Amino acid sequence: MASTYSPLKIELIATGEQSATWGTTTNNNLGTALGEAITGSADVDFAVASDVTVTLTDTNSTQTARNLRINITESGAGIGFVGSLILGSGCQIEKLYLINNTSTAAKTIKNTAGTGISVPAGMSMFVYNNGTNVVGAVNYFSGTVAITGGTINSTPIGGITPSTIAGTTGTFSGVVGTSATDSLVIPVGNTGQRGASTAGKIRLNSTYATFEGYNGTAWGTIGGGATGAGGDQVFQENQLIVTTNYTLSTGKSAISKGPITINGGVVVTIPSGYSWLVL
């Protein structure tokens, strides 16, 4: 009976076979086949702007697709190519890979079918071939992970002091402070860009060139002190058109310099016992 092969292409000697050569086969199984699967590393070069396919065949000699670590490189017309490393014939098996993408473009690791998973340029990632699709191998860490350096989305972390943190939304449960002595930059946008009305928001309204905040009920101007050129604090300024319904704050009266125009359908409510003086 002839030899057969495992999914990793380790040669399985049939009973009574290779009586004088089984040692060579065993050495190749252990030294090459198992060695590649456990600790091996192989390069896959994208030399042209097209996908690259690797395969596994029935031999225990060295094979790129058997290695644990696949090191993706690029050269020639393949530099900057966004493409796929396809696990082709013989590779539709359950296997872990460490993909080290040293190229300048993302590479999708996939089977001949399935969507696969993209490994960004310059990044390393554990992926798992489940025989049908290639997916991320790790999506959860338990316990505390200490990070002493490196970057997240190109932002330095750990022992390196970042100058900028880019993102869309962040939530902090403690006190947020800064040791800077110049200024703190807050969001700037027009009235239509206020977004959801959430209590505690502050911003610079570019439509009116004023700082404003949302108190849970309405947006209002922050500060409101006198202004002027060269640091002078001489002029108290107010706008002249009321565009939105407004109720004076509880326990307060108001004063404005006119003439004041109240747009049609807009209501200014003055609680009993208080006043709005227009000069």
Side-chain angles (χ1 to χ4, degrees), residues 81 117 143 157 191 255:
F81 171 67
I117 188 167
I157 57 175
T191 300
I255 184 171

Side-chain angles (χ1 to χ4, degrees), residues 30 42 84 111 114 164 206 217 257 268:
L30 298 176
S84 297
N111 283 325
T164 302
S206 59
T217 303
K257 177 64 177 72
V268 176

Side-chain angles (χ1 to χ4, degrees), residues 39-274:
T39 62
S41 179
D43 291 344
V44 173
D45 185 48
F46 281 74
V48 296
S50 62
D51 296 339
V52 174
T53 299
V54 294
T55 62
L56 282 173
T57 59
D58 285 344
T59 175
N60 60 7
S61 60
T62 186
Q63 300 192 67
T64 296
R66 187 195 285 124
N67 284 268
L68 169 68
R69 180 178 181 267
I70 301 296
N71 188 54
I72 296 177
T73 61
E74 63 183 3
S75 60
I79 296 176
F81 171 67
V82 179
S84 297
L85 172 59
I86 301 173
L87 304 177
S89 175
C91 296
Q92 316 309 306
I93 61 174
E94 295 184 353
K95 188 179 185 315
L96 182 72
Y97 287 101
L98 172 58
I99 304 297
N100 181 39
N101 183 10
T102 68
S103 74
T104 58
K107 297 294 187 291
T108 297
I109 316 303
K110 64 189 294 292
N111 283 325
T112 50
T115 56
I117 188 167
S118 179
V119 179
M123 300 297 173
S124 293
M125 182 176 179
F126 274 110
V127 302
Y128 181 68
N129 183 359
N130 61 23
T132 302
N133 197 13
V134 179
V135 297
V138 179
N139 59 18
Y140 175 76
F141 290 96
S142 178
T144 301
V145 177
I147 302 176
T148 58
T151 62
I152 295 178
N153 291 336
S154 301
T155 299
I157 57 175
I160 304 174
T161 302
S163 58
T164 302
I165 299 177
T168 55
T169 302
T171 301
F172 302 88
S173 59
V175 176
V176 179
T178 175
S179 59
T181 58
D182 51 0
S183 60
L184 176 68
V185 179
I186 64 173
V188 179
N190 60 41
T191 300
Q193 296 173 319
R194 284 170 170 167
S197 297
T198 305
K201 279 190 170 182
I202 59 172
R203 65 195 298 272
L204 174 62
N205 189 318
S206 59
T207 301
Y208 305 120
T210 57
F211 292 98
E212 64 181 5
Y214 190 76
N215 62 8
T217 303
W219 287 92
T221 301
I222 297 175
T227 187
D232 293 343
Q233 296 182 348
V234 177
F235 305 97
Q236 292 278 1
E237 299 177 344
N238 63 261
Q239 295 170 345
L240 301 178
I241 302 175
V242 182
T243 63
T244 307
N245 293 343
Y246 185 72
T247 300
L248 266 61
S249 300
T250 301
K252 294 182 179 180
S253 292
I255 184 171
S256 303
K257 177 64 177 72
I260 296 295
T261 299
I262 300 176
N263 282 350
V266 174
V267 176
V268 176
T269 302
I270 304 169
S272 176
Y274 298 93

